[in-house]
PDB file of all heavy atoms in Angstrom:
ATOM      1  N   ASP A 280      -5.191  26.904   0.146  1.00 97.00           N
ATOM      2  CA  ASP A 280      -6.130  27.586   1.043  1.00 97.00           C
ATOM      3  C   ASP A 280      -6.649  28.884   0.418  1.00 97.00           C
ATOM      4  O   ASP A 280      -7.731  29.339   0.751  1.00 97.00           O
ATOM      5  CB  ASP A 280      -5.443  27.896   2.381  1.00 97.00           C
ATOM      6  CG  ASP A 280      -5.200  26.610   3.170  1.00 97.00           C
ATOM      7  OD1 ASP A 280      -6.103  25.752   3.174  1.00 97.00           O
ATOM      8  OD2 ASP A 280      -4.103  26.452   3.741  1.00 97.00           O
ATOM      9  N   TYR A 281      -5.850  29.460  -0.488  1.00 98.00           N
ATOM     10  CA  TYR A 281      -6.250  30.737  -1.118  1.00 98.00           C
ATOM     11  C   TYR A 281      -6.087  30.677  -2.625  1.00 98.00           C
ATOM     12  O   TYR A 281      -5.265  29.899  -3.136  1.00 98.00           O
ATOM     13  CB  TYR A 281      -5.354  31.885  -0.602  1.00 98.00           C
ATOM     14  CG  TYR A 281      -5.494  32.134   0.870  1.00 98.00           C
ATOM     15  CD1 TYR A 281      -4.653  31.494   1.780  1.00 98.00           C
ATOM     16  CD2 TYR A 281      -6.481  32.997   1.343  1.00 98.00           C
ATOM     17  CE1 TYR A 281      -4.792  31.714   3.144  1.00 98.00           C
ATOM     18  CE2 TYR A 281      -6.616  33.220   2.706  1.00 98.00           C
ATOM     19  CZ  TYR A 281      -5.775  32.570   3.596  1.00 98.00           C
ATOM     20  OH  TYR A 281      -5.924  32.804   4.934  1.00 98.00           O
ATOM     21  N   ARG A 282      -6.829  31.523  -3.318  1.00 98.00           N
ATOM     22  CA  ARG A 282      -6.669  31.682  -4.775  1.00 98.00           C
ATOM     23  C   ARG A 282      -6.666  33.171  -5.094  1.00 98.00           C
ATOM     24  O   ARG A 282      -7.204  33.967  -4.285  1.00 98.00           O
ATOM     25  CB  ARG A 282      -7.801  30.973  -5.523  1.00 98.00           C
ATOM     26  CG  ARG A 282      -9.155  31.615  -5.315  1.00 98.00           C
ATOM     27  CD  ARG A 282     -10.265  30.905  -6.096  1.00 98.00           C
ATOM     28  NE  ARG A 282     -11.531  31.620  -5.985  1.00 98.00           N
ATOM     29  CZ  ARG A 282     -12.355  31.535  -4.952  1.00 98.00           C
ATOM     30  NH1 ARG A 282     -12.050  30.777  -3.911  1.00 98.00           N
ATOM     31  NH2 ARG A 282     -13.481  32.227  -4.932  1.00 98.00           N
ATOM     32  N   PRO A 283      -6.110  33.547  -6.238  1.00 97.00           N
ATOM     33  CA  PRO A 283      -6.171  34.972  -6.607  1.00 97.00           C
ATOM     34  C   PRO A 283      -7.631  35.424  -6.709  1.00 97.00           C
ATOM     35  O   PRO A 283      -8.474  34.661  -7.217  1.00 97.00           O
ATOM     36  CB  PRO A 283      -5.481  34.995  -7.969  1.00 97.00           C
ATOM     37  CG  PRO A 283      -4.616  33.786  -7.992  1.00 97.00           C
ATOM     38  CD  PRO A 283      -5.332  32.751  -7.191  1.00 97.00           C
ATOM     39  N   ALA A 284      -7.885  36.640  -6.233  1.00 97.00           N
ATOM     40  CA  ALA A 284      -9.276  37.145  -6.229  1.00 97.00           C
ATOM     41  C   ALA A 284      -9.829  37.185  -7.641  1.00 97.00           C
ATOM     42  O   ALA A 284     -11.005  36.938  -7.872  1.00 97.00           O
ATOM     43  CB  ALA A 284      -9.310  38.532  -5.602  1.00 97.00           C
ATOM     44  N   ALA A 285      -8.949  37.481  -8.616  1.00 93.00           N
ATOM     45  CA  ALA A 285      -9.411  37.488 -10.009  1.00 93.00           C
ATOM     46  C   ALA A 285      -8.333  36.858 -10.873  1.00 93.00           C
ATOM     47  O   ALA A 285      -7.148  37.027 -10.605  1.00 93.00           O
ATOM     48  CB  ALA A 285      -9.653  38.920 -10.450  1.00 93.00           C
ATOM     49  N   ARG A 286      -8.777  36.121 -11.898  1.00 89.00           N
ATOM     50  CA  ARG A 286      -7.800  35.568 -12.843  1.00 89.00           C
ATOM     51  C   ARG A 286      -7.694  36.550 -14.003  1.00 89.00           C
ATOM     52  O   ARG A 286      -8.706  36.895 -14.622  1.00 89.00           O
ATOM     53  CB  ARG A 286      -8.268  34.204 -13.338  1.00 89.00           C
ATOM     54  CG  ARG A 286      -7.301  33.545 -14.312  1.00 89.00           C
ATOM     55  CD  ARG A 286      -7.862  32.217 -14.779  1.00 89.00           C
ATOM     56  NE  ARG A 286      -6.956  31.518 -15.667  1.00 89.00           N
ATOM     57  CZ  ARG A 286      -6.836  31.766 -16.969  1.00 89.00           C
ATOM     58  NH1 ARG A 286      -7.572  32.723 -17.531  1.00 89.00           N
ATOM     59  NH2 ARG A 286      -5.984  31.079 -17.707  1.00 89.00           N
ATOM     60  N   ILE A 287      -6.476  36.997 -14.256  1.00 92.00           N
ATOM     61  CA  ILE A 287      -6.278  37.976 -15.322  1.00 92.00           C
ATOM     62  C   ILE A 287      -6.152  37.210 -16.636  1.00 92.00           C
ATOM     63  O   ILE A 287      -5.424  36.210 -16.691  1.00 92.00           O
ATOM     64  CB  ILE A 287      -5.004  38.789 -15.027  1.00 92.00           C
ATOM     65  CG1 ILE A 287      -5.177  39.276 -13.625  1.00 92.00           C
ATOM     66  CG2 ILE A 287      -4.743  39.866 -16.086  1.00 92.00           C
ATOM     67  CD1 ILE A 287      -4.674  40.315 -12.977  1.00 92.00           C
ATOM     68  N   ASP A 288      -6.866  37.634 -17.680  1.00 92.00           N
ATOM     69  CA  ASP A 288      -6.844  36.771 -18.872  1.00 92.00           C
ATOM     70  C   ASP A 288      -5.747  37.119 -19.864  1.00 92.00           C
ATOM     71  O   ASP A 288      -5.617  36.475 -20.892  1.00 92.00           O
ATOM     72  CB  ASP A 288      -8.233  36.681 -19.537  1.00 92.00           C
ATOM     73  CG  ASP A 288      -8.772  38.045 -19.873  1.00 92.00           C
ATOM     74  OD1 ASP A 288      -7.969  39.007 -19.773  1.00 92.00           O
ATOM     75  OD2 ASP A 288      -9.962  38.159 -20.200  1.00 92.00           O
ATOM     76  N   ARG A 289      -4.895  38.106 -19.544  1.00 95.00           N
ATOM     77  CA  ARG A 289      -3.706  38.342 -20.369  1.00 95.00           C
ATOM     78  C   ARG A 289      -2.474  38.261 -19.479  1.00 95.00           C
ATOM     79  O   ARG A 289      -2.560  38.547 -18.269  1.00 95.00           O
ATOM     80  CB  ARG A 289      -3.771  39.744 -20.996  1.00 95.00           C
ATOM     81  CG  ARG A 289      -4.529  39.727 -22.328  1.00 95.00           C
ATOM     82  CD  ARG A 289      -4.805  41.118 -22.796  1.00 95.00           C
ATOM     83  NE  ARG A 289      -5.572  41.824 -21.772  1.00 95.00           N
ATOM     84  CZ  ARG A 289      -5.682  43.136 -21.705  1.00 95.00           C
ATOM     85  NH1 ARG A 289      -5.081  43.906 -22.565  1.00 95.00           N
ATOM     86  NH2 ARG A 289      -6.405  43.706 -20.764  1.00 95.00           N
ATOM     87  N   LYS A 290      -1.347  37.883 -20.048  1.00 95.00           N
ATOM     88  CA  LYS A 290      -0.113  37.755 -19.259  1.00 95.00           C
ATOM     89  C   LYS A 290       0.224  39.095 -18.583  1.00 95.00           C
ATOM     90  O   LYS A 290       0.232  40.135 -19.256  1.00 95.00           O
ATOM     91  CB  LYS A 290       1.036  37.326 -20.183  1.00 95.00           C
ATOM     92  CG  LYS A 290       2.319  37.080 -19.446  1.00 95.00           C
ATOM     93  CD  LYS A 290       3.422  36.657 -20.392  1.00 95.00           C
ATOM     94  CE  LYS A 290       4.725  36.553 -19.644  1.00 95.00           C
ATOM     95  NZ  LYS A 290       5.869  36.406 -20.525  1.00 95.00           N
ATOM     96  N   ILE A 291       0.447  39.049 -17.263  1.00 94.00           N
ATOM     97  CA  ILE A 291       0.780  40.281 -16.541  1.00 94.00           C
ATOM     98  C   ILE A 291       2.165  40.742 -16.995  1.00 94.00           C
ATOM     99  O   ILE A 291       3.118  39.948 -16.981  1.00 94.00           O
ATOM    100  CB  ILE A 291       0.789  40.036 -15.020  1.00 94.00           C
ATOM    101  CG1 ILE A 291      -0.593  39.551 -14.546  1.00 94.00           C
ATOM    102  CG2 ILE A 291       1.221  41.277 -14.252  1.00 94.00           C
ATOM    103  CD1 ILE A 291      -0.640  39.078 -13.117  1.00 94.00           C
ATOM    104  N   LYS A 292       2.249  41.983 -17.410  1.00 92.00           N
ATOM    105  CA  LYS A 292       3.521  42.495 -17.941  1.00 92.00           C
ATOM    106  C   LYS A 292       4.413  42.954 -16.800  1.00 92.00           C
ATOM    107  O   LYS A 292       3.948  43.528 -15.814  1.00 92.00           O
ATOM    108  CB  LYS A 292       3.263  43.671 -18.899  1.00 92.00           C
ATOM    109  CG  LYS A 292       2.664  43.214 -20.212  1.00 92.00           C
ATOM    110  CD  LYS A 292       3.691  42.410 -20.994  1.00 92.00           C
ATOM    111  CE  LYS A 292       3.060  41.745 -22.204  1.00 92.00           C
ATOM    112  NZ  LYS A 292       3.809  40.592 -22.677  1.00 92.00           N
ATOM    113  N   LYS A 293       5.695  42.683 -16.961  1.00 91.00           N
ATOM    114  CA  LYS A 293       6.662  43.068 -15.943  1.00 91.00           C
ATOM    115  C   LYS A 293       6.927  44.568 -16.023  1.00 91.00           C
ATOM    116  O   LYS A 293       7.035  45.118 -17.117  1.00 91.00           O
ATOM    117  CB  LYS A 293       7.954  42.294 -16.218  1.00 91.00           C
ATOM    118  CG  LYS A 293       9.047  42.558 -15.247  1.00 91.00           C
ATOM    119  CD  LYS A 293      10.291  41.804 -15.655  1.00 91.00           C
ATOM    120  CE  LYS A 293      11.472  42.476 -14.993  1.00 91.00           C
ATOM    121  NZ  LYS A 293      12.702  42.330 -15.676  1.00 91.00           N
ATOM    122  N   ASN A 294       6.996  45.221 -14.859  1.00 91.00           N
ATOM    123  CA  ASN A 294       7.577  46.567 -14.810  1.00 91.00           C
ATOM    124  C   ASN A 294       8.268  46.722 -13.466  1.00 91.00           C
ATOM    125  O   ASN A 294       8.363  45.750 -12.704  1.00 91.00           O
ATOM    126  CB  ASN A 294       6.520  47.655 -15.079  1.00 91.00           C
ATOM    127  CG  ASN A 294       5.443  47.645 -14.029  1.00 91.00           C
ATOM    128  OD1 ASN A 294       5.722  47.390 -12.869  1.00 91.00           O
ATOM    129  ND2 ASN A 294       4.201  47.895 -14.436  1.00 91.00           N
ATOM    130  N   ASP A 295       8.760  47.866 -13.152  1.00 92.00           N
ATOM    131  CA  ASP A 295       9.578  48.002 -11.945  1.00 92.00           C
ATOM    132  C   ASP A 295       8.769  48.238 -10.668  1.00 92.00           C
ATOM    133  O   ASP A 295       9.318  48.227  -9.574  1.00 92.00           O
ATOM    134  CB  ASP A 295      10.599  49.145 -12.122  1.00 92.00           C
ATOM    135  CG  ASP A 295      11.648  48.731 -13.156  1.00 92.00           C
ATOM    136  OD1 ASP A 295      11.800  47.504 -13.349  1.00 92.00           O
ATOM    137  OD2 ASP A 295      12.274  49.622 -13.752  1.00 92.00           O
ATOM    138  N   ALA A 296       7.460  48.416 -10.802  1.00 93.00           N
ATOM    139  CA  ALA A 296       6.645  48.690  -9.610  1.00 93.00           C
ATOM    140  C   ALA A 296       6.360  47.379  -8.871  1.00 93.00           C
ATOM    141  O   ALA A 296       6.292  46.319  -9.495  1.00 93.00           O
ATOM    142  CB  ALA A 296       5.337  49.336 -10.039  1.00 93.00           C
ATOM    143  N   PRO A 297       6.211  47.449  -7.544  1.00 94.00           N
ATOM    144  CA  PRO A 297       5.830  46.233  -6.811  1.00 94.00           C
ATOM    145  C   PRO A 297       4.467  45.745  -7.291  1.00 94.00           C
ATOM    146  O   PRO A 297       3.644  46.538  -7.743  1.00 94.00           O
ATOM    147  CB  PRO A 297       5.754  46.686  -5.353  1.00 94.00           C
ATOM    148  CG  PRO A 297       6.316  48.053  -5.303  1.00 94.00           C
ATOM    149  CD  PRO A 297       6.310  48.621  -6.688  1.00 94.00           C
ATOM    150  N   LEU A 298       4.261  44.440  -7.196  1.00 92.00           N
ATOM    151  CA  LEU A 298       2.982  43.874  -7.648  1.00 92.00           C
ATOM    152  C   LEU A 298       2.300  43.221  -6.461  1.00 92.00           C
ATOM    153  O   LEU A 298       2.885  42.367  -5.786  1.00 92.00           O
ATOM    154  CB  LEU A 298       3.252  42.829  -8.739  1.00 92.00           C
ATOM    155  CG  LEU A 298       2.037  42.108  -9.292  1.00 92.00           C
ATOM    156  CD1 LEU A 298       1.171  43.055 -10.117  1.00 92.00           C
ATOM    157  CD2 LEU A 298       2.479  40.932 -10.144  1.00 92.00           C
ATOM    158  N   ALA A 299       1.085  43.618  -6.161  1.00 93.00           N
ATOM    159  CA  ALA A 299       0.343  42.991  -5.058  1.00 93.00           C
ATOM    160  C   ALA A 299      -0.698  42.055  -5.648  1.00 93.00           C
ATOM    161  O   ALA A 299      -1.331  42.374  -6.661  1.00 93.00           O
ATOM    162  CB  ALA A 299      -0.330  44.059  -4.210  1.00 93.00           C
ATOM    163  N   LEU A 300      -0.825  40.910  -5.024  1.00 94.00           N
ATOM    164  CA  LEU A 300      -1.792  39.925  -5.503  1.00 94.00           C
ATOM    165  C   LEU A 300      -2.840  39.756  -4.416  1.00 94.00           C
ATOM    166  O   LEU A 300      -2.501  39.410  -3.281  1.00 94.00           O
ATOM    167  CB  LEU A 300      -1.036  38.616  -5.725  1.00 94.00           C
ATOM    168  CG  LEU A 300      -1.637  37.549  -6.589  1.00 94.00           C
ATOM    169  CD1 LEU A 300      -1.903  38.063  -8.003  1.00 94.00           C
ATOM    170  CD2 LEU A 300      -0.673  36.366  -6.638  1.00 94.00           C
ATOM    171  N   GLU A 301      -4.080  40.025  -4.718  1.00 97.00           N
ATOM    172  CA  GLU A 301      -5.106  39.836  -3.689  1.00 97.00           C
ATOM    173  C   GLU A 301      -5.570  38.384  -3.705  1.00 97.00           C
ATOM    174  O   GLU A 301      -5.899  37.837  -4.771  1.00 97.00           O
ATOM    175  CB  GLU A 301      -6.293  40.769  -3.944  1.00 97.00           C
ATOM    176  CG  GLU A 301      -7.225  40.789  -2.753  1.00 97.00           C
ATOM    177  CD  GLU A 301      -8.565  41.477  -3.032  1.00 97.00           C
ATOM    178  OE1 GLU A 301      -8.688  42.136  -4.086  1.00 97.00           O
ATOM    179  OE2 GLU A 301      -9.469  41.319  -2.202  1.00 97.00           O
TER     180      GLU A 301
END
Side-chain angles (χ1 to χ4, degrees):
D280 290 319
Y281 297 92
R282 68 179 186 279
R286 181 182 182 278
I287 308 205
D288 55 11
R289 273 169 302 162
K290 184 180 174 191
I291 300 171
K292 288 292 171 202
K293 181 183 159 207
N294 62 36
D295 291 338
L298 178 69
L300 198 59
E301 191 191 348

